[in-house]
Amino acid sequence: MVAHPLAPPNARAARSTGGGRDEVILAGAPPREPPSDRLAAISRGEVIPAEVHPELATEEHVLRVQNLKLWYGEKQALFDVNLDVPKGQVTAMIGPSGCGKSTLLRCVNRMNDLLDIVRIEGDMTLNGDSIYARDVDVIELRKRMGMVFQKPNPFPMSIYENVVYPLRIDGERDRRVLDEVCERSLRGAALWDEVKDRLQESALGMSGGQQQRLCIARAIAAEPEVLLLDEPCSALDPIATGKVEDLIQRLKGEYSVLIVTHNMQQASRISEYTAFMYLGRLMEYGPTEAIFTNPKLDETNSYVTGRFG
Amino acid sequence: MRGGPARSVVAGGEPAVWLSGAALAICLAMIGGLLALILWNGIGTFWPGELVRVTLRDGSAVLGEEYGTETYELRRASVPLLPAEARPVALAAFPEGEDAIEAVRVLLRTDNRRESGSTFTYVDAFEVQPGSKTTPSWAVVLERSDQGRFLGEPVRLVTPEQTYEGPEAAWEAFQKLRPAALERNERREELEEESGAGGVLIREAELRVRSAEMRTGVDGRDLARALSESALSASERTRLEAELAEKPADLREAIEEYVLLERRNDIQDAPRLAAMSELSAENAAEYLVMRTASGQEVEVETAEVVRGYRANALSWWGRLGVYLSRWWEFLSEEPRQAGTAGGVWPAIWGTVTMTLVMTVFVVPFGVLAALYLREYAKQGVIVSAVRVAVNNLAGVPSIVFGVFGLGFFCYLIGGGVDQLFYAERLPDPTFGKGGLLWASLTLALLTLPVVIVATEEALSAVPNSMREGSYACGASKWQTIRRIVLPRALPGILTGMILAVARGAGEVAPLMLVGAVNTAPALPVDLEAPFVHPSRSFMHLGFHIYDLGFQAPDGDAARPMVYTTMLLLIALVATLNLAAMWLRARLRRRFTSASF
Ligand SMILES: Nc1ncnc2c1ncn2[C@@H]1O[C@H](COP(=O)(O)OP(=O)(O)OP(=O)(O)O)[C@@H](O)[C@H]1O
Ligand SMILES: [Mg+2]
């Protein structure tokens, strides 16, 4: 197996959209020698245990991924991933494009079941309940999570109906409850002021960024235990990004958030823990500050500093 | 290095532009030509033109409406075929040494089919006495209820009390007497309807006797008929009543009911018949005496005239009035005289109901089938095979569906239904023949592939990300389909419906086998309980066109009606399509994204 010809990560580009909210906390360490032994082992197809920082052992875990392997047809996309997501905290996943972040996220609420070609080994548990056991009610499982996809996917209906969709499918009819949830969710997603006068218009007539925030509002409408966010801010301007980040900050404690991002500043701003993935493997996982300032692996360091390879 | 600004024509794409542009132009020209032909002929049919009168060289005269002038090649050899008086004139027209010349003839709609035997007459230019063409102001068109149009001049009007001599007096009296005559007609129709309704009741009672017979296994119809005989001797009556007393109870009841109805009908019918013959006598006693162009006098009863007007004395508005009243008759009345006059209302209604019933069958079935194929079935060899089979079904000639419908729906299923539920009517079939239901089902089968293919396409165009979004919210498969996929696919599904409707409304061949008839005694959907009569055969515009144009005994007279009916059919299909397109456009607006 040949290592990916990796493009420079989006980190550099993302820096400009971060919008100077915080001081940049990038590692000031001088460039080290490019890592070689690990990459060589990976290209030989060996299993490499992830570098997990000890702080994680002290946390209570809401989601545990155990030896997860995933294949798209013949091609393996995830290799023995072990990842414990702490409860009530924000965990960021970073890594170069195509390394399997979205794939891992979609495994959490079993979105990959919808693809015939996907084969999965290993298990995950949500608050101790297995996700991949045979008798799991997938629909109930998904109701415990909210997900925002990489590409906005509003439904072909009004803005209002989009937001209250999770309640609708549960049979909620009470107008007062629906109105209240709609407003709360839209405010949470920093969209309320823009759309409060056009709730009955089609959601497909919104801009891309508005659509993405609508999807966020939809994901939090049913107050899920875990929030899965796949690059929720990739289509947003700095102000909206800031609002969404505020929202994530507010949600933490009550909810557990797993967020994929290409924006290093964002990861460092909002997350307690950060997981670095590379070539379908979890490479390093630990407190965000440690990952960005003092990573244990050279690969992590090169990635977060914007140099790679 | 690249060459300078001189580029080849091919590189500029010019030939492709010209080729595709020309192809489009030819297509448009053909479609436009077809529509223009139908529009021109169809719209003009009902316009009341002037009547011209020409005197021929043999002294006879012709009166008629000009329908067109055509030139033809006249050869020396065919001159003897012309009327005797015209031959020398024609021969004189040939230049020295020429063997053929262009000759002109005029097509006149002379009508008076009962009197002369034809509706149209060709008048050769050589036949006409020069300068004899006039437009007589007293030329009158009378549209008779069952004898075709009459063209001529009024001479006098005769009533039992009085005779009005001269065209003016006669025409004035005619106008005055007509309302009363129309009233008599109406009254007569009512009486006929009443006695028809009585007949239906008796027929139903007879069917009850028949089913009682079948239940009990005892004969009873002969007895019932004998008992309802009006002239029955006392001894005969006692004998028959004794016989009746021996029959099983429910058969006896049915027979008694039948006899009662027969008697009541006899009693009620007598005054009806008397009134009807009185009305007929009154009608016969009041008539216009008309003179044809050839001088023959013809009596036309005032009551048999549907519409009468002085063709050459009408103002433009008057003509418009006649034109509109003809259109109205065409749209709202039943056909008269084998479709050459009157209207096509039953055919319009038959086409609309058949198409709607077909749509009601085909859309749900097609959509459900497509849903299964696209959303539930595991994509693989079998599903692909099914898809290919469905597509092939769309290419099967429609007559094959007709044969299948006749064999399967009419004979097999309809025959079975008759055996089970309508046994007393056998051997007269009820469902075991063509009818609205079977025709609709046959056409539903015919249009099913269209709906399935269109729906499948619409479903596959729904982005997967929408489905995923719905599942991620915890929706079940059905909830996702119902709330996300179907609404989003609706415009595409409607497109399929439009195509199916257009195809179904214009189809004729299979209908000839499974239920369309040239004259239906009753409408398939009417105000008579149970309102929808699925077993009734019906009239259909497409079939009506075929029947009028190629099967009518008087093809000439039917030709104008063929064009009008075509115009109507096209208008009907266009209306159905426009309605569906409007609906689709409305839905589209709701579902299209403005972003990105
Ligand atoms: N539906 C699919 N079928 C086949 N292969 C897939 C599919 N989805 C993803 N993959 C492959 O799996 C690998 C991981 O993809 P994934 O979408 O998880 O990457 P990612 O880390 O989210 O990248 P990005 O940052 O660009 O979103 C990629 O190599 C991709 O080609
Ligand atoms: Mg991704």
Side-chain angles (χ1 to χ4, degrees):
Chain A
M1 199 173 153
V2 188
H4 270 234
L6 285 165
N10 300 351
R12 248 193 311 254
R15 225 169 274 158
S16 58
T17 60
R21 278 166 46 87
D22 276 300
E23 78 283 22
V24 178
I25 338 174
L26 286 179
R32 299 176 212 176
E33 274 303 294
S36 55
D37 48 331
R38 264 174 190 271
L39 291 185
I42 287 174
S43 62
R44 282 195 303 276
E46 285 170 20
V47 175
I48 299 156
E51 195 62 54
V52 180
H53 294 221
E55 290 88 335
L56 273 156
T58 62
E59 293 282 353
E60 188 191 345
H61 300 299
V62 60
L63 184 75
R64 309 188 78 135
V65 182
Q66 292 149 4
N67 287 325
L68 193 78
K69 300 191 199 93
L70 181 141
W71 289 263
Y72 286 113
E74 292 296 299
K75 187 171 156 269
Q76 190 165 2
L78 292 179
F79 298 81
D80 289 282
V81 175
N82 286 285
L83 182 89
D84 296 339
V85 179
K87 194 179 191 125
Q89 313 255 28
V90 178
T91 306
M93 290 206 286
I94 58 171
S97 188
C99 69
K101 307 180 295 294
S102 297
T103 303
L104 180 60
L105 205 67
R106 288 164 53 90
C107 283
V108 178
N109 64 352
R110 292 187 60 170
M111 269 298 121
N112 285 326
D113 289 12
L114 304 173
L115 299 174
D116 289 335
I117 53 166
V118 168
R119 190 162 58 84
I120 293 172
E121 273 177 25
D123 196 8
M124 293 187 180
T125 54
L126 178 67
N127 281 329
D129 309 330
S130 170
I131 291 179
Y132 277 93
R134 203 167 274 252
D135 56 346
V136 171
D137 183 344
V138 184
I139 290 178
E140 281 310 312
L141 177 82
R142 287 183 188 142
K143 282 180 181 162
R144 294 166 67 183
M145 311 182 189
M147 179 158 187
V148 175
F149 292 81
Q150 194 163 355
K151 275 189 292 184
N153 53 355
F155 300 144
M157 43 178 90
S158 69
I159 295 172
Y160 182 90
E161 286 302 324
N162 257 283
V163 178
V164 300
Y165 185 80
L167 281 75
R168 282 270 188 226
I169 57 178
D170 279 343
E172 180 64 65
R173 287 255 174 73
D174 188 341
R175 195 80 202 171
R176 274 208 325 278
V177 176
L178 294 176
D179 285 348
E180 194 203 302
V181 168
C182 179
E183 179 169 351
R184 178 171 49 75
S185 310
L186 283 172
R187 280 190 192 283
L191 191 59
W192 174 252
D193 291 331
E194 281 164 70
V195 300
K196 62 170 182 280
D197 301 323
R198 41 183 281 211
L199 289 176
Q200 297 310 323
E201 281 172 34
S202 168
L204 300 179
M206 304 166 84
S207 78
Q210 288 174 327
Q211 290 185 355
Q212 188 64 299
R213 276 177 285 159
L214 183 71
C215 292
I216 296 172
R218 190 172 71 201
I220 58 176
E223 312 201 339
E225 295 168 36
V226 178
L227 206 52
L228 308 170
L229 307 174
D230 196 347
E231 293 184 47
C233 301
S234 57
L236 303 188
D237 64 80
I239 296 172
T241 302
K243 287 186 180 168
V244 170
E245 285 175 7
D246 289 346
L247 167 72
I248 294 170
Q249 294 297 332
R250 260 182 287 127
L251 292 177
K252 113 165 108 184
E254 208 172 330
Y255 306 117
S256 315
V257 180
L258 189 56
I259 178 171
V260 173
T261 179
H262 281 300
N263 182 330
M264 300 301 142
Q265 290 96 326
Q266 183 173 59
S268 60
R269 276 198 299 270
I270 60 175
S271 68
E272 274 75 42
Y273 291 95
T274 297
F276 170 57
M277 287 185 68
Y278 182 53
L279 291 181
R281 287 142 178 103
L282 178 65
M283 300 293 281
E284 185 166 358
Y285 183 26
T288 299
E289 189 158 351
I291 295 286
F292 280 101
T293 53
N294 189 21
K296 294 191 177 167
L297 298 184
D298 295 338
E299 292 87 348
T300 315
N301 188 48
S302 340
Y303 183 73
V304 299
T305 52
R307 289 173 295 103
F308 210 78
Chain B
M1 238 197 91
R2 277 279 174 105
R7 288 180 323 180
S8 85
V9 180
V10 177
E14 304 288 303
V17 172
W18 282 104
L19 200 68
S20 51
L24 178 68
I26 292 174
C27 289
L28 288 182
M30 287 198 295
I31 295 170
L34 173 79
L35 285 182
L37 177 79
I38 293 173
L39 274 178
W40 175 251
N41 284 297
I43 288 180
T45 303
F46 291 147
W47 187 258
E50 286 197 325
L51 293 186
V52 298
R53 182 193 163 102
V54 287
T55 315
L56 304 185
R57 290 189 190 274
D58 62 0
S60 66
V62 184
L63 178 69
E65 198 173 312
E66 276 186 10
Y67 251 63
T69 310
E70 59 182 52
T71 53
Y72 68 103
E73 194 189 54
L74 180 65
R75 304 190 151 272
R76 236 176 242 281
S78 42
V79 168
L81 298 176
L82 292 175
E85 289 77 8
R87 281 172 216 157
V89 191
L91 277 177
F94 280 92
E96 197 61 43
E98 291 278 341
D99 194 38
I101 51 166
E102 297 255 292
V104 178
R105 59 185 175 189
V106 179
L107 181 63
L108 283 183
R109 177 166 182 162
T110 48
D111 282 300
N112 298 3
R113 187 174 158 76
R114 180 169 52 160
E115 290 74 24
S116 69
S118 66
T119 308
F120 286 91
T121 313
Y122 274 113
V123 177
D124 212 293
F126 299 124
E127 267 182 282
V128 181
Q129 281 186 18
S132 72
K133 186 167 149 183
T134 56
T135 50
S137 89
W138 275 107
V140 160
V141 177
L142 297 180
E143 290 172 26
R144 295 174 288 190
S145 55
D146 57 1
Q147 302 281 356
R149 291 189 198 172
F150 178 90
L151 312 186
E153 298 182 4
V155 180
R156 74 185 84 87
L157 186 133
V158 180
T159 69
E161 296 86 33
Q162 209 181 339
T163 303
Y164 302 86
E165 278 294 346
E168 258 145 275
W171 192 245
E172 199 180 315
F174 170 75
Q175 305 285 8
K176 217 178 296 158
L177 291 170
R178 244 170 73 77
L182 291 181
E183 231 161 76
R184 285 201 297 276
N185 281 350
E186 247 164 57
R187 179 86 197 102
R188 224 191 110 103
E189 255 165 47
E190 270 169 32
L191 289 170
E192 266 166 19
E193 236 164 65
E194 277 171 27
S195 81
V200 170
L201 284 181
I202 290 174
R203 168 94 184 116
E204 277 169 6
E206 194 185 342
L207 287 173
R208 278 195 291 276
V209 174
R210 171 103 178 87
S211 60
E213 268 181 350
M214 287 166 53
R215 272 200 306 279
T216 56
V218 183
D219 279 354
R221 269 177 300 172
D222 293 337
L223 177 62
R225 255 177 237 126
L227 264 171
S228 47
E229 212 60 60
S230 51
L232 213 57
S233 70
S235 62
E236 186 75 347
R237 175 175 301 276
T238 1
R239 192 182 65 72
L240 289 174
E241 268 165 10
E243 200 181 315
L244 177 63
E246 282 162 28
K247 301 283 181 195
D250 52 339
L251 179 60
R252 196 169 60 224
E253 267 165 39
I255 294 178
E256 276 164 1
E257 194 189 349
Y258 172 79
V259 173
L260 196 70
L261 276 172
E262 270 282 23
R263 292 236 182 90
R264 191 189 303 159
N265 197 49
D266 280 351
I267 295 167
Q268 289 173 340
D269 244 7
R272 268 189 221 134
L273 288 176
M276 270 153 69
S277 59
E278 193 181 322
L279 287 171
S280 300
E282 272 178 51
N283 280 349
E286 186 185 293
Y287 55 88
L288 265 172
V289 177
M290 304 288 294
R291 192 186 298 119
T292 66
S294 54
Q296 190 189 353
E297 292 206 343
V298 175
E299 290 174 8
V300 181
E301 291 174 14
T302 26
E304 81 180 295
V305 177
V306 177
R307 186 180 293 107
Y309 60 91
R310 287 175 60 190
N312 296 338
L314 278 182
S315 64
W316 191 85
W317 290 108
R319 279 178 211 284
L320 187 68
V322 172
Y323 180 74
L324 293 180
S325 106
R326 277 181 178 163
W327 263 110
W328 176 243
E329 183 192 12
F330 182 69
L331 294 177
S332 65
E333 295 282 321
E334 288 176 19
R336 286 185 276 118
Q337 305 157 52
T340 55
V344 292
W345 166 244
I348 299 176
W349 189 235
T351 310
V352 170
T353 37
M354 196 274 299
T355 310
L356 289 184
V357 175
M358 175 203 82
T359 314
V360 165
F361 281 122
V362 74
V363 171
F365 270 110
V367 170
L368 287 177
L371 263 185
Y372 187 85
L373 278 181
R374 184 58 68 179
E375 299 287 326
Y376 288 104
K378 215 171 162 58
Q379 305 298 318
V381 186
I382 299 179
V383 169
S384 302
V386 169
R387 215 164 267 150
V388 170
V390 167
N391 280 324
N392 278 339
L393 209 59
V396 173
S398 56
I399 191 72
V400 174
F401 285 96
V403 174
F404 171 80
L406 183 69
F408 182 72
F409 291 128
C410 301
Y411 292 161
L412 196 71
I413 299 192
V417 169
D418 277 0
Q419 291 285 349
L420 285 176
F421 302 108
Y422 299 96
E424 73 276 7
R425 297 181 189 218
L426 289 172
D428 289 349
T430 308
F431 277 96
K433 59 169 177 53
L436 176 73
L437 180 65
W438 302 146
S440 306
L441 281 176
T442 306
L443 284 201
L445 201 63
L446 178 95
T447 49
L448 193 61
V450 180
V451 177
I452 292 184
V453 169
T455 307
E456 269 215 78
E457 224 129 83
L459 292 178
S460 60
V462 177
N464 248 330
S465 63
M466 277 191 191
R467 293 193 183 85
E468 284 183 347
S470 170
Y471 290 130
C473 291
S476 67
K477 182 141 201 162
W478 173 241
Q479 282 171 327
T480 303
I481 289 175
R482 198 176 72 76
R483 288 171 181 268
I484 309 287
V485 178
L486 277 185
R488 171 62 212 244
L490 205 54
I493 294 173
L494 279 177
T495 306
M497 193 179 98
I498 293 171
L499 292 175
V501 164
R503 172 107 202 256
E507 196 61 68
V508 179
L511 291 180
M512 291 201 247
L513 301 181
V514 293
V517 290
N518 57 8
T519 22
L523 297 175
V525 173
D526 59 16
L527 293 174
E528 190 183 301
F531 309 115
V532 184
H533 311 279
S535 70
R536 282 190 188 166
S537 43
F538 58 95
M539 289 178 68
H540 184 272
L541 284 173
F543 182 67
H544 196 65
I545 291 170
Y546 167 74
D547 188 62
L548 269 186
F550 305 100
Q551 308 287 298
D554 183 8
D556 269 353
R559 202 181 57 183
M561 295 296 262
V562 172
Y563 279 112
T564 342
T565 315
M566 284 201 272
L567 180 64
L568 191 63
L569 180 58
I570 290 177
L572 194 73
V573 173
T575 314
L576 287 174
N577 273 340
L578 283 178
M581 273 157 72
W582 171 79
L583 193 66
R584 185 179 55 179
R586 273 190 52 143
L587 291 172
R588 275 256 162 87
R589 228 170 302 139
R590 260 178 64 200
F591 295 134
T592 41
S593 169
S595 69
F596 303 117

